[in-house]
Amino acid sequence: MDWIAHNAWMLWLVLALVLGGIEMISLSLVFAMLGGGALAAFVAAILGGPTWLQGLVFAAVSVGMIAFVRPVAMRHMRPGIEDLRTNVDRLVGSRATVMEAVGSSNGLVKIGGDVWTARAERGEFLPGDVVQVVAIEGATAVVAPGGETSPYRS
């Protein structure tokens, strides 16, 4: 028991490393928080704190991190709906500039830096109009009014 009391810092360090390894496998952020508690107990042991204080520091820091740090970290790890959309689905909702008159069956718009064939959901749009992409059907962007027009349109 005397050896454990004098070398408790080593046990806390090994525990922190083991918990870090388990966290890499599980990715739940619980073991990382426990590892943070073990590192805090390691510091308490290095500073010469008694064994009961090291255990108390481990428990308090672990519970505190699980209660306050983990929820914030999990919120940052979970993607929003914008992050889940990929490829052409990501274009839905973006603004486009009309390059060639867009009617109910044909036209051209520029979305970002790319020119797409387009059709109007309703109405017609002239070159320079700013529209919003409401859907992508195959290689055609379906557009609706976006609320802005070019000042150069006559």
Side-chain angles (χ1 to χ4, degrees):
M1 267 329 241
D2 194 39
W3 183 89
I4 292 175
H6 286 95
N7 296 301
W9 63 271
M10 197 179 325
L11 296 174
W12 289 117
L13 187 59
V14 168
L15 180 62
L17 292 172
V18 168
L19 290 168
I22 294 171
E23 179 60 41
M24 285 191 281
I25 295 169
S26 72
L27 298 175
S28 65
L29 290 183
V30 172
F31 295 102
M33 304 300 120
L34 293 173
L39 286 176
F42 164 75
V43 170
I46 290 291
L47 295 175
T51 307
W52 65 267
L53 180 63
Q54 295 169 31
L56 185 65
V57 167
F58 170 73
V61 171
S62 295
V63 168
M65 288 183 74
I66 288 171
F68 299 110
V69 177
R70 185 176 182 270
V72 174
M74 291 300 284
R75 225 180 352 259
H76 288 288
M77 287 178 57
R78 289 205 173 91
I81 190 69
E82 289 299 316
D83 297 329
L84 294 176
R85 295 191 308 174
T86 60
N87 302 329
V88 294
D89 292 333
R90 203 173 190 103
L91 298 176
V92 174
S94 62
R95 294 192 177 256
T97 304
V98 176
M99 305 298 290
E100 197 176 281
V102 176
S104 61
S105 61
N106 61 357
L108 292 176
V109 295
K110 189 172 194 175
I111 307 171
D114 299 322
V115 177
W116 283 70
T117 57
R119 72 173 181 80
E121 185 179 50
R122 60 186 178 281
E124 290 187 353
F125 304 103
L126 300 175
D129 286 348
V130 177
V131 294
Q132 186 169 9
V133 178
V134 294
I136 301 290
E137 295 175 354
T140 302
V142 180
V143 296
E148 299 175 28
T149 58
S150 169
Y152 304 110
R153 193 177 92 189
S154 51

